[in-house]
Amino acid sequence: QVQLVESGGGLVQAGGSLRLSCAASGRPSSSYIMGWFRQAPGKEREFVAAIKWSIGTTYYADSVKGRFTISRDNAKNTMYLQMNSLKPEDTAVYTCAVDRDNPYLPVGRNNYAYWGQGTQVTVSS
């Protein structure tokens, strides 16, 4: 069983920065992918970024490229999302997720095996 706990959300002004953390206990397999998703009020959950844990390859949604950076710390089994130049439209509940790495499935799929509880990010204009 894998458990994920997010932290680091909060209220920030437009143009500001936040860093989210996702601490994982357990691993779904020897090769896995971890991702960040977000859901704004009244909208569907959308992919934000992902990282293949063993090789460090990263993926981003077009809406956050150049502003967000995903990374991981192997020793701490923790994933991070550094968010810079935040915009009001980034306001959402951000949730981390983990799944077995499968090269035949899109990294932005919405059915990862394990999910955290989410952390609120609010960007004021």
Side-chain angles (χ1 to χ4, degrees), residues 4 11 13 15 18 20 24 27 34 36 38 44-45 59 74 80-82 88 104 109 111-112 115:
L4 304 172
L11 173 64
Q13 289 188 333
L18 281 174
L20 306 183
R27 293 180 172 86
M34 289 189 73
W36 287 99
R38 67 186 182 185
E44 293 187 352
R45 184 166 58 194
Y59 306 84
N74 284 320
Y80 303 97
L81 185 67
Q82 178 67 45
Y104 300 102
R109 61 189 183 272
N111 61 346
Y112 278 40
W115 295 82

Short mmCIF file of all heavy atoms in Angstrom, two decimals, residues 4 11 13 15 18 20 24 27 34 36 38 44-45 59 74 80-82 88 104 109 111-112 115:
data_model
loop_
_atom_site.label_atom_id
_atom_site.label_comp_id
_atom_site.label_asym_id
_atom_site.label_seq_id
_atom_site.Cartn_x
_atom_site.Cartn_y
_atom_site.Cartn_z
N LEU A 4 0.31 8.86 0.30
CA LEU A 4 0.88 10.12 -0.17
C LEU A 4 0.33 11.27 0.67
O LEU A 4 -0.88 11.34 0.91
CB LEU A 4 0.52 10.34 -1.63
CG LEU A 4 0.90 9.24 -2.62
CD1 LEU A 4 0.31 9.51 -3.98
CD2 LEU A 4 2.42 9.11 -2.70
N LEU A 11 -1.98 30.65 0.30
CA LEU A 11 -2.45 31.83 -0.42
C LEU A 11 -1.25 32.68 -0.83
O LEU A 11 -0.37 32.96 -0.01
CB LEU A 11 -3.39 32.65 0.48
CG LEU A 11 -3.84 34.01 -0.05
CD1 LEU A 11 -4.68 33.84 -1.31
CD2 LEU A 11 -4.62 34.75 1.03
N GLN A 13 0.04 35.97 -3.75
CA GLN A 13 -0.36 36.95 -4.75
C GLN A 13 0.14 36.54 -6.14
O GLN A 13 1.13 35.79 -6.26
CB GLN A 13 0.20 38.32 -4.40
CG GLN A 13 -0.47 38.97 -3.20
CD GLN A 13 -0.03 40.41 -3.00
OE1 GLN A 13 1.08 40.78 -3.38
NE2 GLN A 13 -0.88 41.21 -2.39
N GLY A 15 2.09 36.33 -9.38
CA GLY A 15 3.50 36.58 -9.59
C GLY A 15 4.39 35.95 -8.53
O GLY A 15 5.61 35.90 -8.69
N LEU A 18 5.29 29.26 -4.79
CA LEU A 18 5.02 28.27 -3.75
C LEU A 18 5.74 26.99 -4.13
O LEU A 18 5.95 26.72 -5.32
CB LEU A 18 3.52 27.98 -3.63
CG LEU A 18 2.62 28.96 -2.88
CD1 LEU A 18 1.17 28.51 -3.02
CD2 LEU A 18 3.01 29.07 -1.42
N LEU A 20 5.27 22.93 -3.43
CA LEU A 20 4.48 21.83 -2.89
C LEU A 20 5.38 20.61 -2.68
O LEU A 20 6.30 20.38 -3.45
CB LEU A 20 3.33 21.46 -3.82
CG LEU A 20 2.38 22.58 -4.23
CD1 LEU A 20 1.27 22.01 -5.10
CD2 LEU A 20 1.81 23.27 -3.01
N ALA A 24 5.94 10.24 0.15
CA ALA A 24 5.38 8.93 -0.15
C ALA A 24 5.91 7.89 0.82
O ALA A 24 7.10 7.85 1.12
CB ALA A 24 5.71 8.53 -1.57
N ARG A 27 6.26 2.06 -2.20
CA ARG A 27 6.41 2.24 -3.63
C ARG A 27 5.52 1.24 -4.34
O ARG A 27 5.44 0.08 -3.93
CB ARG A 27 7.87 2.03 -4.06
CG ARG A 27 8.83 3.07 -3.54
CD ARG A 27 10.25 2.78 -4.00
NE ARG A 27 11.18 3.85 -3.70
CZ ARG A 27 11.83 3.97 -2.56
NH1 ARG A 27 11.63 3.09 -1.60
NH2 ARG A 27 12.67 4.98 -2.37
N MET A 34 5.39 9.49 -10.76
CA MET A 34 4.64 10.31 -9.82
C MET A 34 4.22 11.59 -10.54
O MET A 34 4.96 12.12 -11.36
CB MET A 34 5.47 10.65 -8.59
CG MET A 34 5.69 9.46 -7.68
SD MET A 34 6.45 9.89 -6.10
CE MET A 34 5.07 10.69 -5.27
N TRP A 36 1.59 15.38 -10.49
CA TRP A 36 0.76 16.38 -9.85
C TRP A 36 -0.43 16.67 -10.76
O TRP A 36 -0.28 16.83 -11.97
CB TRP A 36 1.53 17.68 -9.63
CG TRP A 36 2.55 17.62 -8.54
CD1 TRP A 36 3.89 17.43 -8.67
CD2 TRP A 36 2.31 17.75 -7.14
NE1 TRP A 36 4.50 17.43 -7.45
CE2 TRP A 36 3.55 17.63 -6.48
CE3 TRP A 36 1.17 17.97 -6.36
CZ2 TRP A 36 3.67 17.71 -5.09
CZ3 TRP A 36 1.29 18.05 -4.99
CH2 TRP A 36 2.55 17.92 -4.37
N ARG A 38 -4.39 18.92 -10.70
CA ARG A 38 -5.10 19.97 -10.00
C ARG A 38 -6.55 20.02 -10.46
O ARG A 38 -6.87 19.63 -11.58
CB ARG A 38 -4.43 21.33 -10.21
CG ARG A 38 -4.50 21.85 -11.64
CD ARG A 38 -3.67 23.13 -11.77
NE ARG A 38 -3.75 23.70 -13.11
CZ ARG A 38 -3.04 24.74 -13.52
NH1 ARG A 38 -2.19 25.35 -12.68
NH2 ARG A 38 -3.18 25.19 -14.76
N GLU A 44 -12.89 20.00 -14.34
CA GLU A 44 -12.39 18.64 -14.19
C GLU A 44 -10.94 18.67 -13.73
O GLU A 44 -10.20 19.64 -13.94
CB GLU A 44 -12.50 17.89 -15.52
CG GLU A 44 -13.93 17.65 -15.97
CD GLU A 44 -13.99 16.77 -17.21
OE1 GLU A 44 -12.93 16.48 -17.78
OE2 GLU A 44 -15.11 16.39 -17.60
N ARG A 45 -10.53 17.58 -13.11
CA ARG A 45 -9.13 17.46 -12.69
C ARG A 45 -8.25 17.42 -13.94
O ARG A 45 -8.58 16.75 -14.92
CB ARG A 45 -8.94 16.20 -11.86
CG ARG A 45 -7.54 16.03 -11.29
CD ARG A 45 -7.50 14.97 -10.23
NE ARG A 45 -7.97 13.68 -10.69
CZ ARG A 45 -8.27 12.67 -9.89
NH1 ARG A 45 -8.18 12.82 -8.59
NH2 ARG A 45 -8.66 11.52 -10.39
N TYR A 59 7.68 15.74 -17.29
CA TYR A 59 6.63 16.08 -18.25
C TYR A 59 5.80 17.20 -17.66
O TYR A 59 5.57 17.23 -16.44
CB TYR A 59 5.73 14.86 -18.52
CG TYR A 59 6.49 13.63 -18.94
CD1 TYR A 59 7.05 12.79 -17.99
CD2 TYR A 59 6.65 13.32 -20.29
CE1 TYR A 59 7.77 11.66 -18.37
CE2 TYR A 59 7.37 12.19 -20.67
CZ TYR A 59 7.92 11.37 -19.71
OH TYR A 59 8.62 10.25 -20.09
N ASN A 74 15.28 11.25 -3.80
CA ASN A 74 15.23 9.80 -3.57
C ASN A 74 15.38 9.44 -2.11
O ASN A 74 14.68 8.56 -1.60
CB ASN A 74 16.32 9.12 -4.39
CG ASN A 74 15.96 9.02 -5.85
OD1 ASN A 74 14.83 8.75 -6.20
ND2 ASN A 74 16.93 9.25 -6.71
N TYR A 80 8.49 17.14 -5.36
CA TYR A 80 8.23 18.56 -5.18
C TYR A 80 7.66 19.17 -6.45
O TYR A 80 7.88 18.68 -7.56
CB TYR A 80 9.52 19.30 -4.82
CG TYR A 80 10.21 18.75 -3.61
CD1 TYR A 80 11.27 17.84 -3.72
CD2 TYR A 80 9.81 19.12 -2.33
CE1 TYR A 80 11.90 17.33 -2.61
CE2 TYR A 80 10.44 18.62 -1.20
CZ TYR A 80 11.49 17.72 -1.35
OH TYR A 80 12.11 17.21 -0.24
N LEU A 81 6.94 20.27 -6.26
CA LEU A 81 6.49 21.07 -7.38
C LEU A 81 6.78 22.53 -7.04
O LEU A 81 6.10 23.11 -6.18
CB LEU A 81 5.01 20.88 -7.67
CG LEU A 81 4.49 21.61 -8.92
CD1 LEU A 81 5.11 20.99 -10.19
CD2 LEU A 81 2.97 21.56 -9.01
N GLN A 82 7.80 23.07 -7.66
CA GLN A 82 8.13 24.48 -7.49
C GLN A 82 7.29 25.28 -8.48
O GLN A 82 7.39 25.06 -9.69
CB GLN A 82 9.61 24.72 -7.73
CG GLN A 82 10.04 26.17 -7.62
CD GLN A 82 9.90 26.72 -6.21
OE1 GLN A 82 10.29 26.07 -5.25
NE2 GLN A 82 9.36 27.93 -6.10
N PRO A 88 -3.72 33.80 -11.18
CA PRO A 88 -5.00 33.44 -10.55
C PRO A 88 -5.60 32.16 -11.12
O PRO A 88 -6.24 31.40 -10.37
CB PRO A 88 -5.87 34.66 -10.87
CG PRO A 88 -4.91 35.80 -10.96
CD PRO A 88 -3.69 35.21 -11.60
N TYR A 104 3.21 2.53 -22.35
CA TYR A 104 2.10 2.48 -23.29
C TYR A 104 0.92 3.33 -22.86
O TYR A 104 -0.09 3.41 -23.56
CB TYR A 104 1.65 1.03 -23.50
CG TYR A 104 2.74 0.16 -24.05
CD1 TYR A 104 3.46 -0.71 -23.22
CD2 TYR A 104 3.11 0.24 -25.40
CE1 TYR A 104 4.48 -1.49 -23.73
CE2 TYR A 104 4.14 -0.53 -25.90
CZ TYR A 104 4.81 -1.40 -25.06
OH TYR A 104 5.84 -2.17 -25.55
N ARG A 109 -2.57 10.57 -17.74
CA ARG A 109 -3.81 9.83 -17.51
C ARG A 109 -4.36 10.15 -16.13
O ARG A 109 -3.61 10.43 -15.21
CB ARG A 109 -3.56 8.33 -17.65
CG ARG A 109 -2.53 7.77 -16.66
CD ARG A 109 -2.19 6.34 -17.00
NE ARG A 109 -1.27 5.71 -16.07
CZ ARG A 109 0.03 5.77 -16.16
NH1 ARG A 109 0.60 6.47 -17.14
NH2 ARG A 109 0.81 5.13 -15.28
N ASN A 111 -6.02 8.17 -14.07
CA ASN A 111 -6.36 7.00 -13.27
C ASN A 111 -5.13 6.38 -12.62
O ASN A 111 -4.98 5.16 -12.59
CB ASN A 111 -7.08 5.97 -14.13
CG ASN A 111 -6.22 5.47 -15.29
OD1 ASN A 111 -5.20 6.07 -15.60
ND2 ASN A 111 -6.65 4.39 -15.90
N TYR A 112 -4.26 7.23 -12.08
CA TYR A 112 -3.14 6.72 -11.31
C TYR A 112 -3.68 5.86 -10.16
O TYR A 112 -4.79 6.06 -9.68
CB TYR A 112 -2.32 7.87 -10.74
CG TYR A 112 -1.32 8.48 -11.70
CD1 TYR A 112 -1.63 8.69 -13.05
CD2 TYR A 112 -0.06 8.88 -11.26
CE1 TYR A 112 -0.72 9.25 -13.91
CE2 TYR A 112 0.87 9.45 -12.12
CZ TYR A 112 0.53 9.64 -13.44
OH TYR A 112 1.45 10.22 -14.30
N TRP A 115 -3.49 8.11 -4.70
CA TRP A 115 -3.67 9.57 -4.67
C TRP A 115 -3.55 10.10 -3.25
O TRP A 115 -3.93 9.43 -2.28
CB TRP A 115 -5.06 9.93 -5.22
CG TRP A 115 -5.22 9.60 -6.66
CD1 TRP A 115 -5.53 8.38 -7.20
CD2 TRP A 115 -5.07 10.49 -7.76
NE1 TRP A 115 -5.56 8.46 -8.56
CE2 TRP A 115 -5.30 9.75 -8.94
CE3 TRP A 115 -4.76 11.85 -7.87
CZ2 TRP A 115 -5.23 10.32 -10.21
CZ3 TRP A 115 -4.70 12.42 -9.14
CH2 TRP A 115 -4.94 11.66 -10.30
#
